[in-house]
Amino acid sequence: GTGAGNDLYINQAIVFIEDAIQYRSINHRVDSKSLWLYRWYYSRTCQWILSLTITVILALAFVEEPSSLTITSDVRYRLPAWNPPCGLTESVELLCFLVFVVDVSVKSYLIGWKEFWKNKWLMAYILTLIVSLADWIVSLSFFCKESVRIRRILRPFFLLQNSSMMKKTLKSINSTLPEMASVLLLLAVHLSLFTMFAMLLFARTKDNQQDKEWVVYFRNLPDSLTSLLVLLTTANNPDVMIPAYSKNRAYSIFFILFTVLGNLFLMNLLTAIIYNQFRGYLLKSVQSSLFRRRLGIRAAFEVLSSLKETPASAQQSCVSVGALLQVLQKAEMDSRCKQAIMRSLKMCSCDQLSAAQFQKLFEELDKDAIKQHPPSPEYQSHFMQKMQFAFGHPYFGYLGNVVALANIISICVVLVMDADKQPSERDDFFLGAINCFFILYYLLEMLLKILAMGLKRYLSYPSNRFDGLLTVILLILEIATFAVYGFPHPGWRPEFMGLLSLWDMVRLVNMFIVFRFLRIIPNMKFMALVVTTLLDLVKNLRAFAGILVVVFYAFAITGIMLFKGAVVPLGNTSAANTTHDNGTLQCGTYEQLEYWPNNFDDFAEKNMISWCSAQAEIIYCLLYVFSVHLICRWAKIYFVAWWLISSVIWVNLFVALLLENFIHKWDRRCQRESLSDIEYQRTVELMFRDVLEEPTEEELMEKLHQHPHLHLCR
Amino acid sequence: GTGAGNDLYINQAIVFIEDAIQYRSINHRVDSKSLWLYRWYYSRTCQWILSLTITVILALAFVEEPSSLTITSDVRYRLPAWNPPCGLTESVELLCFLVFVVDVSVKSYLIGWKEFWKNKWLMAYILTLIVSLADWIVSLSFFCKESVRIRRILRPFFLLQNSSMMKKTLKSINSTLPEMASVLLLLAVHLSLFTMFAMLLFARTKDNQQDKEWVVYFRNLPDSLTSLLVLLTTANNPDVMIPAYSKNRAYSIFFILFTVLGNLFLMNLLTAIIYNQFRGYLLKSVQSSLFRRRLGIRAAFEVLSSLKETPASAQQSCVSVGALLQVLQKAEMDSRCKQAIMRSLKMCSCDQLSAAQFQKLFEELDKDAIKQHPPSPEYQSHFMQKMQFAFGHPYFGYLGNVVALANIISICVVLVMDADKQPSERDDFFLGAINCFFILYYLLEMLLKILAMGLKRYLSYPSNRFDGLLTVILLILEIATFAVYGFPHPGWRPEFMGLLSLWDMVRLVNMFIVFRFLRIIPNMKFMALVVTTLLDLVKNLRAFAGILVVVFYAFAITGIMLFKGAVVPLGNTSAANTTHDNGTLQCGTYEQLEYWPNNFDDFAEKNMISWCSAQAEIIYCLLYVFSVHLICRWAKIYFVAWWLISSVIWVNLFVALLLENFIHKWDRRCQRESLSDIEYQRTVELMFRDVLEEPTEEELMEKLHQHPHLHLCR
């Protein structure tokens, strides 16, 4: 090869190795200019700008009219919120769109036109951008007075298309849909049959006293369906049964049958189905990541082997160590891994590397990073050595925990004693004095630990960092309190001064002390296991959470569009509800339920409602409220859809993932226990290490030969 | 051996084979008299008497004072219930106790004194009987006026000790307790830390308007704990947040954090832990059943082989076919199995059986019973053959489903149209006419099917039996209606006559029609799968359900003892609540919530409440009610305990079992699909067939040599 050809091969190898490290696909253009563009596109700055743009466009909803920039969301009290002038958010939006246009063009160019037509996500991306831009133009030409803004609903798509994890998860969820649909159909049949039964059972009778059940819950078909649907969420559980049960005990059989079949069997069947589908999900995804990594490394090997064909006749292709060193120096990777690979490359001392040796070198990437704490300082004096032994001993940590517990208990006692006192009767002396003592102890503990372990070793433990940070914050708060209000003394009850009153200061200190108590967690084995499981779960859940955010956002925006202004304060009810001329307010309207703050007038608000209804309780109230407001049909469908997606499907997905994660972790607990003093930086990949299958040489080569842009010589 | 010795061996073999069939332990006495007693004790009659006694003693609670023999349980309306005179229920109880005394003596004798001291269940049984009898004597000596009856709480123990499945399950649950306790501890820490946070956040302020949150939910430590505990059950979900959220949007962060951590993470972690523990539970239990069966058969072989040592010098012991035939004739077993074994014994045509051959013969017991439907009648006439083809075809069944659907829809339409009509305006003509037509069609369908399939074949399908039974019931109802009210005609609205009014008759007919619609289930593949899974689950769940009944019963009785008379009608409030002299009724008392029918005055009532609180909703209301009634502390602890056991632990156990069952079933679905036209009578054992391990010869022999009463010669 020529010099330019060599440079191209080196660059290709660099990019392939970077792809392997990041688990990216290698199916992109491989000519010089494209490689430069590719590295630029995947550089930290570019990806950071893209993420920022997505965040900004999603966050716009909080600022846009109707904005959420008020302290309370109660329509009775809140002041009119500041609304940005027309054109401000729109210009920010345009900027974001321009970034997206650049993004989609670069992406499309890099994968090549032939691949582009196969990629539905990219096509959808372009379509979304076109629709958004068109909507933006319409919006500006109406001077922001148009009522429907489609582009708002489309926004979460930008988040979705940017994450390969989320796309993969969505595909998984998609494959579960047929079976979920079957269970939902079963649920629908269950619901409709029981509705008919209920309507026949609780029919109107001649005695008006007797048919309370009919009046309240089963007046007509939609009412009956709603009552039973809400019973399925257990939100109105005993209430719906009481009137009938009061008439005759036997009626309870109907409700018990309905709940057992619907709630206990069918709902849990949904969990079972989703868990069954997702059992292999994590493993499969880790397996495909591993394949991508091996493929990238193999591709790098292949391009490097065609660099200089030194032993031209040799059957086995191989790579010179010098070329690999050149590639390694230029590739962006974790410095620890780079050094480890360099080191083993020097130890190898051979000149040529075979494919197997090449792969073996890069196995360093898969290894655990063993975290080593810096050593303690070595003191000369005998006294200092004794001090070091005493305060570096775990028992000193346990003593700290006991003191923290004592502090918590003392706060608790004061809280119980002061619970019913008027603010003017309160004396902060006692709490101030004990807190002062405890905070001094915390400071002393921190200093002694630093003395025993040395600052570097002290800071290398996360629990110490947590501890130290809170101790420093507490110290600052305490000093500030003393500076403003003087030292505690009986009758220490000064009036409001400065930013916070003394009472607020003391409360803040107490909250930090309660929070600091969490330091006990790593000391309890089971708790530590649970907490690490939860943290792992959070990592694995990012994709799910992203999808939830997407759905949430779309629902919130739809909700705002549909129900904006549906809730009006009591004063101007007549102005808004012209169709609803019944003057008396029924039980359950906003006024009586005191649900004023829950309305659809802004975005944060809508999130709140969605959150609540995810908990399946508020649906009932809101359904009722909206049925009063005469837009009941749509609101009902809207809430039922939201309940199904958020509460039923998403919660089940979550449970499935938790089961999967936890069971893996639990099985491995015994093996790890012996090694518990070494802190591994565990990743999902490592959790599955023993069950993963290495891809075979044939699979890798077949995939490489299918590469649309790289044409290997052999 | 002598003739008497031979008889003994034969009898032993019979009993061992019966043990194997019933999966019983073989560790019992094996002398002649004991064997006779053993067979008598495990005969159908004896076991039936024992079950009846347990049922009777448990059912006594419904009849005993306070009895549940009233139609309504509403304290305002119900008449004073009939209470049995003193001595009536007590004498029934004494009879039951005597049966139990006989039971425990026989059981203890049969397992032998040495084993008796190792058996904690038997000791507990005896202790329970002694305490119950002592309590019974005390009760009679007070002429039934004593307030505390301990023996009532002990009653469910009799149910528990009689079922080996339940004992096994209890052991399993017991082994999960440490881990469950850890999660519950975590939950307690979570709850208490958040309670302290909440008390600091929502402290009393000077402005009374502002601290609604404090007044209602966080007034003092018990209130705060209760509020957050109820939030954990999501029963007061949005309500508890609204006042704070109304003040400042940021307060919602506290509640969201609490719910996500507590409800989503910790609660589901409990599911994960329980599932993890129970994953192998079914398999293990089936495996141990298999071992018992193989052991019983092996024991039978061993005793039969020592019967006549024909080839005295032979290394391998063996059994003569004649002796086995003698045993088989006397043993009680399924006639199908018996015939199959006899048949293969004749086909074998050898004179002596080795141990392996012997085991192989009895493998018939493990096999699926392939159900064969009787053949259709063969008609001579060409016309009849055509008829038979047409009406025996599945399409005719589908047509029946379509007609049933049409009937359901017509009823639905009539219901929607008549929903708001007064009973006096209603005209039953239309519904009467169409129902008459549809029932005639159902009759015709049944007759034609019988014609095509023959009565025997028709009845051999469960779906046909269901169908036919409902058709006959509908026909009888319809004929009765016409006999009393005449044929339908416009304005068919006669007054009340006889037992039921016309309107009630029509409603009853409609309910049966809706119920009959369930015949579509076997026609839909996924539904059929789900329904068979559920039916399997019900079989496997018997032990769990039994334990739930035990806990339920104990809780209900305790509840009655603790809170009897706590709820009194409005009229005599002052008489009962002397300590509660606050005349104004607070919001949330019985009067306003209309929870009159829910009180603790009788047993059925208590079950109702337990049921509701299992659904986690009513706790909230009842906690509130009881806090008004001044026995709040105890009631709170009582309900929290009940919620933990029923809702948290039991529901999670249920989910674990459902997951286990469903996943096994689902994996096997593909294999079975090809055989779907053969109806298997599936048992749990068969579900696990492929994964079960056969016990080895050494294990069996070791276990046999450990038998406390059987002393094998070699």
Side-chain angles (χ1 to χ4, degrees), chain B residues 386-510:
Chain B
K386 267 194 176 166
M387 290 276 282
Q388 189 173 23
F389 176 78
F391 300 122
H393 200 275
Y395 283 147
F396 186 61
Y398 298 154
L399 180 68
N401 290 344
V402 171
V403 172
L405 183 66
N407 195 354
I408 289 273
I409 291 171
S410 69
I411 292 175
C412 204
V413 167
V414 172
L415 273 179
V416 169
M417 291 194 317
D418 281 1
D420 265 328
K421 274 189 194 159
Q422 286 285 344
S424 54
E425 297 167 19
R426 237 181 253 135
D427 188 349
D428 296 330
F429 165 63
F430 180 64
L431 208 56
I434 54 170
N435 275 350
C436 178
F437 160 75
F438 279 117
I439 289 167
L440 278 180
Y441 176 83
Y442 297 153
L443 183 68
L444 193 71
E445 189 193 0
M446 187 176 76
L447 292 176
L448 286 174
K449 271 194 174 171
I450 292 174
L451 180 82
M453 303 165 89
L455 189 63
K456 272 192 182 168
R457 188 176 170 84
Y458 179 83
L459 287 179
S460 72
Y461 289 96
S463 62
N464 283 343
R465 285 201 294 270
F466 174 81
D467 220 31
L469 184 71
L470 281 179
T471 306
V472 169
I473 291 173
L474 284 174
L475 197 69
I476 292 169
L477 277 176
E478 205 65 7
I479 290 170
T481 311
F482 294 158
V484 180
Y485 300 100
F487 284 96
H489 51 83
W492 194 43
R493 200 173 53 235
E495 286 306 294
F496 188 91
M497 281 164 83
L499 197 62
L500 287 166
S501 74
L502 175 61
W503 170 233
D504 287 331
M505 285 293 249
V506 172
R507 271 165 64 200
L508 201 63
V509 166
N510 287 342

Side-chain angles (χ1 to χ4, degrees), chain B residues 378-390 451:
Chain B
E378 281 176 31
Y379 291 108
Q380 299 299 325
S381 115
H382 197 68
F383 173 72
M384 285 303 275
Q385 280 176 2
K386 267 194 176 166
M387 290 276 282
Q388 189 173 23
F389 176 78
L451 180 82

